[in-house]
Short mmCIF file of all heavy atoms in Angstrom, two decimals:
data_model
loop_
_atom_site.label_atom_id
_atom_site.label_comp_id
_atom_site.label_asym_id
_atom_site.label_seq_id
_atom_site.Cartn_x
_atom_site.Cartn_y
_atom_site.Cartn_z
N ALA A 47 0.22 0.20 18.48
CA ALA A 47 -0.67 -0.53 19.37
C ALA A 47 -0.61 -2.08 19.10
O ALA A 47 -0.55 -2.85 20.11
CB ALA A 47 -2.07 -0.09 19.14
N VAL A 48 -0.51 -2.43 17.88
CA VAL A 48 -0.47 -3.84 17.51
C VAL A 48 0.86 -4.41 18.06
O VAL A 48 1.02 -5.55 18.65
CB VAL A 48 -0.43 -4.08 16.05
CG1 VAL A 48 -0.17 -5.52 15.60
CG2 VAL A 48 -1.95 -3.70 15.54
N VAL A 49 1.94 -3.55 17.84
CA VAL A 49 3.31 -4.06 18.32
C VAL A 49 3.31 -4.33 19.85
O VAL A 49 3.78 -5.23 20.42
CB VAL A 49 4.39 -3.21 17.88
CG1 VAL A 49 5.74 -3.44 18.51
CG2 VAL A 49 4.68 -3.43 16.43
N ALA A 50 2.70 -3.18 20.56
CA ALA A 50 2.65 -3.35 21.94
C ALA A 50 1.81 -4.49 22.56
O ALA A 50 2.20 -5.13 23.53
CB ALA A 50 2.12 -2.00 22.56
N THR A 51 0.80 -4.82 21.77
CA THR A 51 -0.16 -5.95 22.15
C THR A 51 0.60 -7.21 22.03
O THR A 51 0.66 -8.14 22.90
CB THR A 51 -1.41 -5.96 21.31
OG1 THR A 51 -2.11 -4.80 21.43
CG2 THR A 51 -2.23 -7.07 21.74
N PHE A 52 1.29 -7.52 20.86
CA PHE A 52 1.94 -8.71 20.72
C PHE A 52 3.16 -8.83 21.60
O PHE A 52 3.50 -10.00 21.98
CB PHE A 52 2.36 -8.85 19.24
CG PHE A 52 1.37 -9.28 18.28
CD1 PHE A 52 0.85 -8.45 17.27
CD2 PHE A 52 0.72 -10.43 18.63
CE1 PHE A 52 -0.15 -8.85 16.41
CE2 PHE A 52 -0.36 -10.93 17.66
CZ PHE A 52 -0.73 -10.06 16.63
N TYR A 53 3.82 -7.72 21.87
CA TYR A 53 5.01 -7.84 22.84
C TYR A 53 4.49 -8.18 24.17
O TYR A 53 5.09 -8.99 24.95
CB TYR A 53 5.68 -6.40 22.86
CG TYR A 53 6.84 -6.34 23.82
CD1 TYR A 53 8.02 -6.97 23.59
CD2 TYR A 53 6.51 -5.62 25.17
CE1 TYR A 53 9.04 -6.82 24.39
CE2 TYR A 53 7.61 -5.58 25.92
CZ TYR A 53 8.87 -6.20 25.66
OH TYR A 53 9.95 -6.13 26.57
N THR A 54 3.36 -7.58 24.65
CA THR A 54 2.86 -7.84 26.03
C THR A 54 2.45 -9.40 26.03
O THR A 54 2.68 -10.11 26.91
CB THR A 54 1.61 -7.09 26.22
OG1 THR A 54 2.01 -5.62 26.15
CG2 THR A 54 1.07 -7.21 27.65
N LEU A 55 1.64 -9.91 24.99
CA LEU A 55 1.36 -11.29 24.98
C LEU A 55 2.54 -12.19 25.04
O LEU A 55 2.57 -13.17 25.54
CB LEU A 55 0.45 -11.57 23.63
CG LEU A 55 -0.89 -10.90 23.78
CD1 LEU A 55 -1.61 -11.05 22.44
CD2 LEU A 55 -1.75 -11.53 24.85
N TYR A 56 3.67 -11.80 24.18
CA TYR A 56 4.82 -12.66 24.26
C TYR A 56 5.36 -12.69 25.65
O TYR A 56 5.81 -13.70 26.06
CB TYR A 56 5.79 -12.03 23.15
CG TYR A 56 7.14 -12.66 23.24
CD1 TYR A 56 7.37 -13.86 22.71
CD2 TYR A 56 8.21 -11.93 23.81
CE1 TYR A 56 8.63 -14.52 22.72
CE2 TYR A 56 9.55 -12.51 23.81
CZ TYR A 56 9.74 -13.80 23.34
OH TYR A 56 10.89 -14.38 23.41
N ARG A 57 5.54 -11.55 26.38
CA ARG A 57 6.14 -11.46 27.62
C ARG A 57 5.20 -12.24 28.57
O ARG A 57 5.76 -12.92 29.57
CB ARG A 57 6.31 -10.02 28.10
CG ARG A 57 7.31 -9.25 27.34
CD ARG A 57 8.70 -9.71 27.61
NE ARG A 57 9.03 -9.79 29.03
CZ ARG A 57 9.86 -8.88 29.71
NH1 ARG A 57 10.43 -8.03 28.87
NH2 ARG A 57 10.01 -8.99 30.92
N LEU A 58 3.90 -12.31 28.48
CA LEU A 58 3.02 -12.96 29.53
C LEU A 58 3.11 -14.39 29.25
O LEU A 58 3.13 -15.32 30.19
CB LEU A 58 1.66 -12.49 29.17
CG LEU A 58 1.20 -11.12 29.82
CD1 LEU A 58 -0.24 -10.83 29.41
CD2 LEU A 58 1.34 -11.11 31.26
N TYR A 59 3.14 -14.95 28.01
CA TYR A 59 3.06 -16.42 27.75
C TYR A 59 4.43 -16.99 27.45
O TYR A 59 4.52 -18.24 27.03
CB TYR A 59 2.04 -16.66 26.62
CG TYR A 59 0.67 -16.28 27.01
CD1 TYR A 59 0.10 -15.12 26.42
CD2 TYR A 59 0.03 -16.88 28.04
CE1 TYR A 59 -1.15 -14.75 26.74
CE2 TYR A 59 -1.27 -16.41 28.42
CZ TYR A 59 -1.89 -15.42 27.68
OH TYR A 59 -3.12 -15.10 28.13
#
Side-chain angles (χ1 to χ4, degrees):
V48 170
V49 168
T51 301
F52 282 117
Y53 177 73
T54 303
L55 290 174
Y56 171 73
R57 292 291 304 253
L58 284 174
Y59 295 113

